[in-house]
Amino acid sequence: QVRLVESGGGLVQAGGSLRLSCAASGTIFSINAMGWYRQAPGKERELVAGLTSGDSINYADSVKGRFTISRDNAKNTVYLQMNSLKPEDTAVYYCNADILSISRVRRYYWGQGTQVTVSS
């Protein structure tokens, strides 16, 4: 069984920073892409930042220059450093990972989500 556990959300004032973490654990053989999505009330879930195993990175236009995704392969953990936060960044942030299990089943997994609230 594979689990993704997120941490680091919270309440911050506009202009502030937060760092999200997502640790993958369980019967993992290898991890391909990892990324962060977010979903604001009344809106669809959207990609915030993605990082492949080959270190190819992509960001949503709305977060370019403010957010940075990184990965610690030894810890099976992906991070999202969020700077210059804006009220429109308020959402539930979800970790996503493309994982090959030791039983050689490959699928996408989701974390439980962590709330980020930016006050104006």
Side-chain angles (χ1 to χ4, degrees):
Q1 187 174 359
V2 174
R3 292 180 63 203
L4 299 181
V5 178
E6 298 134 339
S7 60
L11 173 63
V12 65
Q13 288 188 333
S17 298
L18 285 173
R19 189 190 193 209
L20 305 183
S21 299
C22 171
S25 63
T27 55
I28 298 170
F29 180 78
S30 65
I31 300 177
N32 302 306
M34 298 186 81
W36 291 93
Y37 288 72
R38 68 186 180 187
Q39 188 166 20
K43 295 188 177 181
E44 293 187 353
R45 191 172 298 188
E46 62 174 357
L47 175 68
V48 176
L51 176 60
T52 70
S53 58
D55 291 334
S56 175
I57 297 175
N58 62 298
Y59 294 101
D61 288 342
S62 59
V63 307
K64 284 180 181 177
R66 301 187 297 121
F67 290 10
T68 303
I69 189 171
S70 61
R71 180 171 167 176
D72 185 334
N73 291 325
K75 296 181 179 180
N76 287 339
T77 299
V78 64
Y79 305 96
L80 185 67
Q81 178 66 44
M82 305 185 294
N83 299 328
S84 302
L85 283 161
K86 304 175 181 179
E88 52 263 43
D89 294 317
T90 295
V92 178
Y93 283 70
Y94 296 92
C95 176
N96 177 269
D98 177 8
I99 294 175
L100 180 67
S101 69
I102 60 174
S103 58
R104 300 300 191 268
V105 174
R106 180 176 177 178
R107 55 161 286 193
Y108 286 92
Y109 292 85
W110 291 94
Q112 80 283 1
T114 185
Q115 177 70 45
V116 171
T117 302
V118 184
S119 63
S120 58

